[in-house]
Amino acid sequence: MQSIVSSYHLCLAPPSPVLRQRLLCHRVPSIRLPSHRSTTSLGLFTCAAVSRESEMAAKEDGQDPRIPKIASSIRVIPDFPKPGIMFQDITTLLLDTEAFKDTIDIFVERYKGKGISVVAGVEARGFIFGPPIALAIGAKFVPMRKPKKLPGKVISEEYSLEYGTDKIEMHVGAVEPGERAIIIDDLIATGGTLAAAIRLLERVGVKIVECACVIELPELKGREKLGEAPLFILVTSDAA
């Protein structure tokens, strides 16, 4: 019963500043983030109507009508994993086969035929989106992992956290100088991990074509850490 009540309010309550999701460069209505599949029939109807309105607005503005569906499938969980954090939950997107396929298709359409030979996925959710993109564009998938996860000889790059530092690693020989790469993750927040992945690949002579994420939290200014590397995203969120 609790899940039904929660979903009903997510679908029908007026937009709130912390749960409102907006689309980058898409002039469309704010989209509610429903609790996936745990809704009443009335809630499902209302959420579907919001999605259709957003799709119509996107079409009128000449934007990709698939973006509103993707945005509406992402759930925000307040106070997870600690108080004050608004967690961007992509597991609901993965449960929506149409939205998940659209997400992969948009990235594939952008990068297919661009001479990209490396799709580097950042642990851990970059491992979800990276492999199907790599297969579709004919590139190899290279996992960028946390320390002591890869069994072979590795090259590593350190980056700063709020308290202390961490590292990202990849296998020596996974990429070759002169290869063209994209770096995939689900979300960019402060940008530290993506920036470390860029430095790591550039150290071995790889050309970074672009970084790509499903979600951006622009108020955290992560893209400022990426240097000259372009950033492509599908959805922006004002949930910090």
Side-chain angles (χ1 to χ4, degrees), residues 98-213:
E98 181 181 349
F100 188 22
K101 182 179 184 301
D102 285 345
T103 300
I104 300 301
D105 286 349
I106 290 172
F107 286 129
V108 170
E109 291 162 12
R110 184 172 182 85
Y111 299 120
K112 195 174 183 65
K114 300 295 178 62
I116 294 165
S117 58
V118 175
V119 175
V122 178
E123 188 169 350
R125 290 181 289 273
F127 296 176
I128 297 172
F129 299 99
I133 296 170
L135 287 172
I137 68 174
K140 58 188 176 184
F141 176 74
V142 176
M144 313 288 282
R145 301 220 61 183
K146 296 176 181 179
K148 300 180 181 180
K149 296 291 187 179
L150 294 170
K153 186 177 180 181
V154 300
I155 179 173
S156 63
E157 183 70 30
E158 190 172 86
Y159 61 97
S160 298
L161 301 171
E162 184 177 0
Y163 301 103
T165 60
D166 205 345
K167 290 182 179 179
I168 190 169
E169 299 180 339
M170 72 176 177
H171 273 138
V172 171
V175 296
E176 301 292 335
E179 288 195 286
R180 289 165 53 84
I182 56 174
I183 304 174
I184 302 291
D185 205 353
D186 71 318
L187 177 145
I188 177 170
T190 62
T193 310
L194 276 179
I198 292 170
R199 294 194 301 270
L200 188 55
L201 289 166
E202 288 182 338
R203 278 170 52 192
V204 293
V206 171
K207 165 66 176 177
I208 307 301
V209 176
E210 197 163 67
C211 296
C213 297

Side-chain angles (χ1 to χ4, degrees), residues 50-73:
V50 171
S51 180
R52 285 195 296 270
E53 290 174 2
S54 298
E55 289 176 5
M56 291 176 62
K59 288 179 180 178
E60 290 175 359
D61 283 352
Q63 306 295 345
D64 194 322
R66 294 170 293 184
I67 297 293
K69 173 68 173 176
I70 294 168
S72 65
S73 70

